[in-house]
Amino acid sequence: VLGQIARLEPRGAWELDAAITRGADRLKRRGVLLVVSDFYDATDATFRELRRVARRGHDVALLQVLSAPEIDFPYEASVEFEDLESGERRVIDASATAREYRARVGSFLTRCRSEAHRDGHDYALMRTDSAPERALRAYLIRRAGAADPTAPRGSP
Amino acid sequence: MFQNPWAWLGLAAIAAPVLVHLLARRPARRIPFPTLRYLPATRLAPIRRGRLTDAGLLVVRCGVIAAAVAALAQPDWRRPPSAPVPATDLARAILVDASWSMSREAVTGGAALDAARREAVDLRAGATRARLIEARALVGALGGAAAWLAQQPMRRELVLVSDFQEGTIEREDLRAVPDDIGIRLVPIDGRAPRAPEPPDASSAPAIQLLAGAATQAGARAARRAAEARGAPARGRPDRSVAIVFPDFERRGELLGAARPLDEPWMFDIVGAVTHGDQAHTYLEGLTWSAGDAGRHELRLFSAVPAGTLGSAALIAAAARAASPDPDPAELAAATIADATLRAWERPASDVIPVAARDPDRSDGRWMWGLALALLALEAWLRRARPTPAPAAEMPHERAA
């Protein structure tokens, strides 16, 4: 699975809800649906679709992947940011806006984690500055621990 | 300690690099980013620097300005403002009297002017710096000589070499020379002046008047009026001067043949006429042409008709300038007594004011060197400064 993921080339846009539906439809028996995304495009419909998949008996796990700068926002002074998908550009004073940005992103991550836990999904935040196999291993260990009724479930 | 202390006001210019540093806009770095949705849209960048960065570079730039200002202030750290200067250094302005009376025979033989020139050469050889000036009127040349001496960064001495006829110079004239400039008066003894030779009947009149037939009588009347005002009647045979009046029949022809002045005596006469009283205002033009037997003739083209008061003034001025006869004052035999001359003399001061220091020898050049060194350092710092880079590389794709 990791090898296939590594060979993927990011391009274009996608519809998260449709991708979840398409992935779930491929599961003929009860299985595990791993959704690897930054979830920037996630909407209420996305979580609704994930709940529908879970009700069909599948285990759903959300692996939210973000780069370290997206989370830590280490920029200073004037920076012109260019949106990777839309190409939109915006010049801001990174020093002045860093705190507000981190608060907004933190709120976004908290919402994603809360939604996942509320619906009984596994959730893990994976930073790109960590090796993916290590992050995945940590997730699987947590998932195995979650099988133990005494262990907490779905903690990142 | 500074020859130009007002230059320190230029230190205010240090504010310039600080303001430029604070106000200058620098280009924003462009960074690909997964999404702009969490970047506050309302916080558009104030892309001026809000605080000092690159403090080292700023300090060096301020240092460049400070060093340049210090250089302009012309510091002089080697000597205190009124320190004695070496007794061996002496600047000397030598004024040689070149008036008519100096053409008399000197006691030592030869013309008095030649004896004065020999004396001046000896005086020049004894000075560290010297300027030799020949003047027909010593008083008129005093100011220029004193001004030159005032700029000399050493002991200064003004030397007058003259026969010192009565009236050549007065004590009041010498009081105008700054006190720290020494005065030395070197008399040249001459024999008694010769009386002017009687008019040579064969010599040409001082001025030839070229007027039309209708104004010939007026021209003669103007000449008589000029002579009545003291204009000499005779001129020098080797210097032909003519005044051409407007109605002279060949005036146009002479104007067409006009050529520039080229004989020194012509310039002397023209200078005397144009710097005299109002005579020059009656002149329309100056020219000359070759006369008979290759003799050069100076022609003054009058703008006023013959017989007018203006024509008389012009004739008088030109005749005085062209006459070989000296000013009657130059014939006076009395000279200023040696004791008087000694009383007017004074030694050169051993102390010179700061203003007389040689700017080329101030320590400002070291400050210029420092400013250049700081400029080189500033250029090196600017090039060595790392190009601003993002604190972390942004992956060029989104996770999904």
Side-chain angles (χ1 to χ4, degrees), chain A residues 34-116:
Chain A
L34 282 175
V35 184
V36 183
S37 172
D38 54 17
F39 290 98
Y40 280 140
D41 300 321
T43 61
D44 290 341
T46 305
F47 289 101
R48 191 164 54 244
E49 187 62 25
L50 288 172
R51 284 195 297 272
R52 193 180 67 81
V53 172
R55 282 199 299 274
R56 289 165 58 185
H58 301 304
D59 284 343
V60 176
L62 279 61
L63 300 183
Q64 190 168 21
V65 181
L66 267 71
S67 65
E70 285 179 272
I71 300 171
D72 302 332
F73 202 73
Y75 306 107
E76 292 180 342
S78 299
V79 180
E80 182 180 30
F81 291 100
E82 180 180 5
D83 192 303
L84 278 172
E85 291 189 354
S86 68
E88 178 190 353
R89 294 175 183 172
R90 190 178 300 167
V91 180
I92 67 164
D93 183 349
S95 305
T97 57
R99 176 175 298 188
E100 186 174 352
Y101 171 86
R102 292 189 196 109
R104 289 184 176 193
V105 169
S107 174
F108 163 67
L109 295 176
T110 301
R111 185 170 64 86
C112 289
R113 187 171 60 242
S114 302
E115 294 268 2

Side-chain angles (χ1 to χ4, degrees), chain B residues 93 95 131 133 138-151 158 181:
Chain B
L95 291 183
R131 177 160 293 185
I133 304 167
L138 289 183
V139 173
L142 277 180
W148 177 77
L149 283 171
Q151 300 299 319
L158 175 66
I181 295 178

Side-chain angles (χ1 to χ4, degrees), chain B residues 263-276:
Chain B
E263 294 281 345
W265 62 269
M266 293 180 177
F267 288 97
D268 289 343
I269 293 176
V270 169
V273 170
T274 56
H275 290 89

Side-chain angles (χ1 to χ4, degrees), chain B residues 57-365:
Chain B
L57 190 61
L58 180 61
V59 166
V60 171
R61 285 173 177 168
C62 293
V64 170
I65 293 180
V69 168
L72 289 174
Q74 296 181 6
D76 193 351
W77 297 316
R78 292 165 298 175
R79 296 187 301 232
S82 59
V85 294
T88 53
D89 291 349
L90 177 65
R92 186 174 270 163
I94 307 162
L95 291 183
V96 174
D97 183 0
S99 63
W100 185 89
S101 66
M102 292 295 285
S103 64
R104 292 177 296 171
E105 185 179 2
V107 173
T108 54
L113 180 57
D114 293 335
R117 286 169 175 161
R118 286 193 296 272
E119 190 73 35
V121 169
D122 292 342
L123 288 165
R124 183 167 61 183
T128 309
R129 293 183 190 179
R131 177 160 293 185
L132 185 55
I133 304 167
E134 286 193 13
R136 290 189 174 183
L138 289 183
V139 173
L142 277 180
W148 177 77
L149 283 171
Q151 300 299 319
Q152 305 309 310
M154 57 189 75
R155 293 189 305 127
R156 286 81 57 88
E157 186 178 65
L158 175 66
V159 182
L160 276 60
V161 186
S162 169
D163 55 4
F164 290 109
Q165 281 184 304
E166 286 282 4
T168 303
I169 200 162
E170 302 291 340
R171 186 181 184 88
E172 291 305 316
D173 300 323
L174 295 175
R175 281 184 177 156
V177 178
D179 293 340
D180 53 3
I181 295 178
I183 295 176
R184 187 170 167 190
L185 307 173
V186 179
I188 301 295
D189 292 330
R191 300 188 187 282
R194 293 168 295 174
E197 297 175 1
D200 184 354
S202 63
S203 65
I207 303 294
Q208 185 182 2
L209 304 179
L210 303 177
T215 58
Q216 287 287 342
R220 286 192 294 272
R223 185 196 299 277
R224 285 194 298 273
E227 289 173 358
R229 293 173 60 179
R234 68 181 191 115
R236 293 177 56 149
D238 56 338
R239 298 180 180 181
S240 176
V241 180
I243 295 178
V244 184
F245 289 99
D247 62 342
F248 183 59
E249 295 81 2
R250 292 178 54 226
R251 180 182 172 99
E253 177 189 340
L254 294 179
L255 276 172
R259 279 180 282 176
L261 306 179
D262 69 344
E263 294 281 345
W265 62 269
M266 293 180 177
F267 288 97
D268 289 343
I269 293 176
V270 169
V273 170
T274 56
H275 290 89
D277 46 23
Q278 299 296 315
H280 65 283
T281 62
Y282 306 126
L283 277 178
E284 185 178 278
L286 298 164
T287 184
W288 71 276
S289 65
D292 295 339
R295 194 179 56 147
H296 291 182
E297 182 177 72
L298 175 68
R299 295 183 182 125
L300 308 176
F301 289 85
S302 171
V304 294
T308 61
L309 287 177
S311 66
L314 181 60
I315 293 170
R320 274 196 291 269
S323 170
D325 296 339
D327 187 318
E330 293 288 328
L331 299 174
T335 58
I336 303 171
D338 282 350
T340 304
L341 293 178
R342 296 289 83 78
W344 291 354
E345 286 183 328
R346 65 186 181 219
S349 172
D350 289 337
V351 177
I352 62 172
V354 175
R357 298 290 173 80
D358 189 348
D360 295 337
R361 296 176 64 181
S362 82
D363 293 312
R365 62 185 185 277

Side-chain angles (χ1 to χ4, degrees), chain B residues 12-76:
Chain B
I14 285 181
V18 176
L19 290 176
V20 168
H21 193 85
L22 288 173
L23 300 179
R25 295 170 179 271
R26 55 181 181 181
R29 294 170 290 136
R30 182 179 298 174
I31 294 178
F33 209 66
T35 181
L36 304 186
R37 71 186 71 194
Y38 299 115
L39 292 174
T42 55
R43 298 294 297 272
L44 293 177
I47 54 180
R48 290 176 179 167
R49 291 176 173 91
R51 57 193 169 86
L52 291 179
T53 56
D54 300 324
L57 190 61
L58 180 61
V59 166
V60 171
R61 285 173 177 168
C62 293
V64 170
I65 293 180
V69 168
L72 289 174
Q74 296 181 6
D76 193 351

